[in-house]
Structure formats: structure tokens, C-alpha cells
Amino acid sequence: MTAKISYDDVEVGTELPAQSFPVTRATLVQYAGASGDFNPIHWNEKFAKEVGLPDVIAHGMFTMAEAARVVTDWAGDPAAVAEYGVRFTKPVVVPNDDQGAVIEVSGKVAAKLDDDARTVRVDLTAVSAGQKVLGMSRAVVRLA
Amino acid sequence: MALDQSFVGRTYPPTEPYEVGREKIREFAEAIGDANPAYTDTEAAKALGHPDVIAPPTFVFAITFKAAGQVVQDPQLGLDYSRVVHGDQKFAYSRPVRAGDRLTVTSTIESIKSLAGNDVLDIRGEVHDEAGEHVVTAITKLVARAADEEA
């Protein structure tokens, strides 16, 4: 494990570079194939509406994967992530147009946990169409 | 219908090994649009101290969720899967998943709660490698919405 960020260089409140992740229907089809999650709410508008959703929605695990990128891009080595958890609070609605949806993710160091293990807690915020789509989105990251 | 509390603590038999392929990792990294070379370039992964390419942190969910199917589809438990949504997801890693791993998952029902008529089920998936070493624990919270919520 070789994180490129030093524990000594961060403090509570240090912000991670924010990122925006576009999601289209094509993204969801590709993610369905790669993950093996073929639930039709992620690609079939008719089915999604029949079960009470406003439209096709992104896989929660897709959103979780994108939010993680803010942490792994910052840390450099993805293995720096020791723990990672999210709550799926609102769906990311993905319309069938040229735009799709955007997931905006920001993060900051919320706590320095252990001076010996050099671990910090990063709190993430993920927003799509003005709504928070993840809650309790936290990672424990082992820094250099 | 509330789920039977006596299922809390029940552990299901370990799954057959899942062999992690480097092209499967690449396919997953491309699907999430993540160009981190640790996922696709063995030399880049080695430069970080890994023996081979590693998988993105959430990759293992495909394996643990399939294993959780033993719980979800247990006829004795009687979960109505058509009403289930994914509530929370957590991972705790001993090390990253990497190409060549042969991983088994042991699923345990961690807790069963009833909240406002919804059944809330926590399933813990312990992932071990071929040597029996712990790789990652996945905790998946599933919420089965109450039947009378139907519009």
C-alpha cells in the first residue's frame, strides 16, 4: 500500500478534489454487464415506472463506485481504502436523452483516527439533480 | 409479515471459489470509467506494492451479493424479494481483491429488524482467499418494504 498523501499533511477539514461523473443509459447497460446486476429498473423505463419509480435509475452500487473514485484518485493507491460504507438515500434518475444524469461528489477529512495506523475518516457527499443520493458515505483511508 | 428472529446468526455454507480474472477487473473498471492503472497495468500495480492488478473497492459486491442469494432465496426465511431494496452497503478490507484470487464467501444473517412494518436484514459476507486468509467483509442491508405500502 503506497498512498501518495501523507497523514501529516492532512488535517480535519482538508478537502479532497471534487469530481462530477456523468451517467447515461449506455453507462447503466455497461455497468449491468460488468457487475452482473441486470435488474430491469436500471434499463427498462416501462418496468421502472410500473414499480413506482419516476424513470430508470442508476445502480446504487454504481453511485457507490463513482463516489469511491474521489477517495482513490486522491490517495493514489486504491488499497489505501480500509473501510467504505454508504446509505442509498435517493435514486439517481437517468433520463433517456443525450444528457443523462450527473453525480457530483465531494469529500473532506472528517477525523484523524489513529496516528500510528495513519488512518483518517473521509466523509463524502454525492448529489444528483440537487438531491443527496448517498447518506453516511464514509471511508477510512490509510495514508502514507 | 415480520421475519423470524431465530434466523439471526444463521451462517450459510461457503460458496464455491470465484476466480478473479484480470479482464473482468478491466471490464468493471471501464464500466465505472475509472482509469486508475492499478486496475489494468500489472507494472503499475507492482509499483504500488501489489503482486498483480487489483480490483476497485466495490468490485467484490458482485461476488458477495451472489452469495447473499442463499439468504435471500432461503424458502424458510421467506423474504419477499420483489419488495427488497438495497439500503446500506459497507466494506472492511484486509487487502484489496486482486487478479488470480480464488475467493469464497460465507454469508451470515447479522440482524433482522422490523421498522415501520419494513423488514430490515443485515447480511455479512466474509470473503477469504484460497489460503483461508481474510480479504474483505461486506455488510449488505436489505429493506423489504411493507406490503401495505403499495399504491
Side-chain angles (χ1 to χ4, degrees), chain B residues 9-143:
Chain B
R10 179 171 295 205
T11 295
Y12 292 76
T15 56
E16 289 296 309
Y18 174 101
E19 187 167 328
V20 179
R22 68 182 62 250
E23 295 306 330
K24 190 65 196 178
I25 292 175
R26 179 192 302 275
E27 182 188 354
F28 187 85
E30 284 177 355
I32 61 171
D34 195 331
N36 193 315
Y39 303 143
T40 53
D41 178 344
T42 309
E43 292 312 312
K46 283 183 176 168
L48 294 170
H50 306 299
D52 205 330
V53 291
I54 63 172
T58 63
F59 174 87
V60 76
F61 181 78
I63 306 168
T64 59
F65 191 62
K66 194 172 178 191
Q70 289 179 103
V71 182
V72 170
Q73 291 155 17
D74 183 342
Q76 292 183 316
L77 179 64
L79 188 68
D80 180 358
Y81 191 64
S82 69
R83 301 190 173 282
V84 166
V85 295
H86 195 178
D88 291 32
Q89 182 60 43
K90 287 182 190 156
F91 300 102
Y93 306 89
S94 288
R95 66 160 175 86
V97 168
R98 56 190 179 233
D101 272 339
R102 288 170 59 81
L103 303 176
T104 57
V105 186
T106 307
S107 299
T108 299
I109 299 179
E110 185 97 328
S111 74
I112 295 174
K113 289 181 185 131
S114 185
L115 290 172
N118 300 329
D119 285 319
V120 183
L121 185 68
D122 278 343
I123 302 169
R124 188 179 79 240
E126 298 282 4
V127 180
H128 291 90
D129 66 16
E130 208 166 16
E133 298 290 328
H134 179 262
V135 177
V136 53
T137 297
I139 309 267
T140 300
K141 187 185 292 292
L142 300 177
V143 181

Side-chain angles (χ1 to χ4, degrees), chain A residues 69 73 100 123 138:
Chain A
R69 288 174 58 190
D73 285 355
D123 286 4
R138 296 173 170 182

